[in-house]
Amino acid sequence: MASYTQLQYRDMLRKFLRDIDELNKLLDRRESSDNQLILALDMALDDWNLSPPLLYSVTYETFPSPNLLLRGAAIQILISLGILYSRGKLDYSDGGV
């Protein structure tokens, strides 16, 4: 079983999401910051550790499946981006004004 650090997972997640400057033609930069990717990884790790059955806690170094951690973090990033992008699309009314 391979063992990876938080920073290695962050780099793998960025590659998995293809979040690199050259591919983000509209933004001309990365879409997610390093801190946002680490937060998503932390949330995915937390989901794993808090999901039943609660047998034992894992860390980045002891996570049993890098694939599952990356997919869980990718889902967290996509949820976060979906919330961000929907913010500007919500209809609202200010008392008919």
Side-chain angles (χ1 to χ4, degrees), residues 5 10 15 26 30 40 55 60-61 71 73-74 78 87 95 97:
T5 66
R10 181 204 62 201
K15 288 177 188 172
L26 293 176
R30 294 175 177 174
L55 302 175
Y60 286 106
E61 290 77 16
R71 288 173 184 255
L78 293 173
R87 220 178 269 156
V97 178

Side-chain angles (χ1 to χ4, degrees), residues 31-73:
E31 190 164 33
S32 301
S33 71
D34 288 347
N35 287 338
Q36 289 167 328
L37 294 180
I38 288 173
L39 175 61
L41 286 162
D42 287 345
M43 292 172 74
L45 186 65
D46 194 49
D47 280 348
W48 177 276
N49 283 325
L50 295 177
S51 295
L54 302 174
L55 302 175
Y56 58 92
S57 288
V58 296
T59 65
Y60 286 106
E61 290 77 16
T62 62
F63 202 87
S65 174
N67 180 40
L68 287 178
L69 183 58
L70 291 173
R71 288 173 184 255

